[in-house]
Amino acid sequence: MNKISVALIEDHHLTRSGIKAALNDCEDIEFIGEAANGLQGITLLEKTPPDVAIVDLGLPGLVDGIELTKRFKEFIKAKNSSLDKQPKVLILTMQDNEDSVLAAFAAGADSYCMKNVMFEKLVDAIVETHSGANWIDSSIARIVLARIDNPFEEAVISAGVPTISIHALNPEDKELLTVNPLTQRERDVIQLIVEGYSNEEICGELHISLGTVKTHVRNILTKLSCDDRTSAAVRALRAGLVN
């Protein structure tokens, strides 16, 4: 298996150094470059297009993460016939407001990840983004999915620039939920997961033990055919299981 080449555009030195060091320890990832601002970033990305560019939205100067993403996507489109691969953009930021989220996807971002995510999840996001999937952090999934009229159909978010397809439940998953639906308590738990509650916080909110919460989470993951809470939250939102 070929390594996934990754470039990082991040202005905060400690954050950039930490992510770089962690990525260099991943055997499936090849870290090929870094930049501390948008101008340096676009130069790096155009000179050596990576498989996945990790871009911070809050870059200093005239070229922020949104502008960088837009320019890089325009570069990719212009060079399409001469590029051996289709580079992807993974947004990594602390900004979860609707304007920032929608602006990022409108600019052409492929995935959106919050900086407080566990590193293992960041690697998952990189791998899925590279594969062509749209990795969406559960904390901003509601904003994206609010733009989808029918939760069971494929939809497109569009703002006059490259569009991003958000894939909904496949027929097998819909059938699974019909045969083995979530209980009311499981719906309560997944609702709190979508809202960002930890297992410990769910205990206090629902007045149940940690063991009971873990059992509910395990059942939810099984019924939704998910490997983790983030995927379950996104799937639950798409399926209309939560408000």
Side-chain angles (χ1 to χ4, degrees), residues 17 20 47 50 56 65-66 107 109-111 127 131 162 174 185 221:
S17 298
K20 175 183 176 181
K47 182 178 180 180
D56 178 25
I66 299 295
D110 298 281
S111 296
V127 172
S131 72
K174 286 186 281 185
R185 180 57 86 185
L221 295 182

Side-chain angles (χ1 to χ4, degrees), residues 22 62-63 74 80 84 93 114 125 136 172 184 206 214 229 236-237:
L62 296 177
V63 181
E74 290 174 346
N80 186 52
D84 296 329
T93 182
M114 300 302 293
I136 307 171
E172 291 78 12
Q184 183 55 55
L206 299 181
K214 289 181 177 179
R229 292 160 59 98
L237 282 163

Side-chain angles (χ1 to χ4, degrees), residues 128-205:
E128 290 193 28
T129 302
H130 174 55
S131 72
N134 301 114
W135 198 97
I136 307 171
D137 197 292
S138 61
S139 64
I140 63 95
R142 185 182 299 278
I143 295 174
V144 175
L145 294 168
R147 300 288 165 164
I148 301 177
D149 293 327
N150 186 337
F152 290 109
E153 299 295 333
E154 181 180 41
V156 174
I157 299 171
S158 178
V161 290
T163 58
I164 302 299
S165 296
I166 307 298
H167 300 285
L169 294 181
N170 58 45
E172 291 78 12
D173 290 333
K174 286 186 281 185
E175 181 179 358
L176 178 65
L177 285 175
T178 300
V179 174
N180 198 15
L182 299 187
T183 66
Q184 183 55 55
R185 180 57 86 185
E186 288 166 353
R187 285 175 176 265
D188 294 338
V189 171
I190 192 63
Q191 177 73 54
L192 294 176
I193 289 175
V194 168
E195 294 175 6
Y197 283 65
S198 66
N199 283 353
E200 291 75 12
E201 291 170 332
I202 293 174
C203 290
E205 186 71 19

Side-chain angles (χ1 to χ4, degrees), residues 3 19 60 85 87 118 125 138 157 173 184 191 207 215 227:
K3 290 188 175 183
I19 294 175
K85 54 193 174 185
M118 295 289 289
S138 61
I157 299 171
D173 290 333
Q184 183 55 55
Q191 177 73 54
H207 306 292
T215 297
D227 295 325

Side-chain angles (χ1 to χ4, degrees), residues 29-99:
I29 291 176
E30 178 186 8
F31 189 85
I32 64 172
E34 61 183 298
N37 60 56
L39 288 175
Q40 293 175 0
I42 195 63
T43 298
L44 168 66
L45 298 181
E46 290 181 357
K47 182 178 180 180
T48 311
D51 291 322
V52 178
I54 301 176
V55 178
D56 178 25
L57 284 189
L59 296 172
L62 296 177
V63 181
D64 61 7
I66 299 295
E67 181 64 20
L68 186 153
T69 298
K70 182 179 178 181
R71 290 192 188 184
F72 185 45
K73 286 293 184 173
E74 290 174 346
F75 168 80
I76 293 171
K77 184 177 181 180
K79 295 290 185 179
N80 186 52
S81 59
S82 61
L83 291 178
D84 296 329
K85 54 193 174 185
Q86 287 296 310
K88 308 293 185 181
V89 174
L90 167 62
I91 297 298
L92 184 65
T93 182
M94 290 301 295
Q95 299 182 35
D96 60 357
N97 61 79
E98 182 172 358
D99 289 344

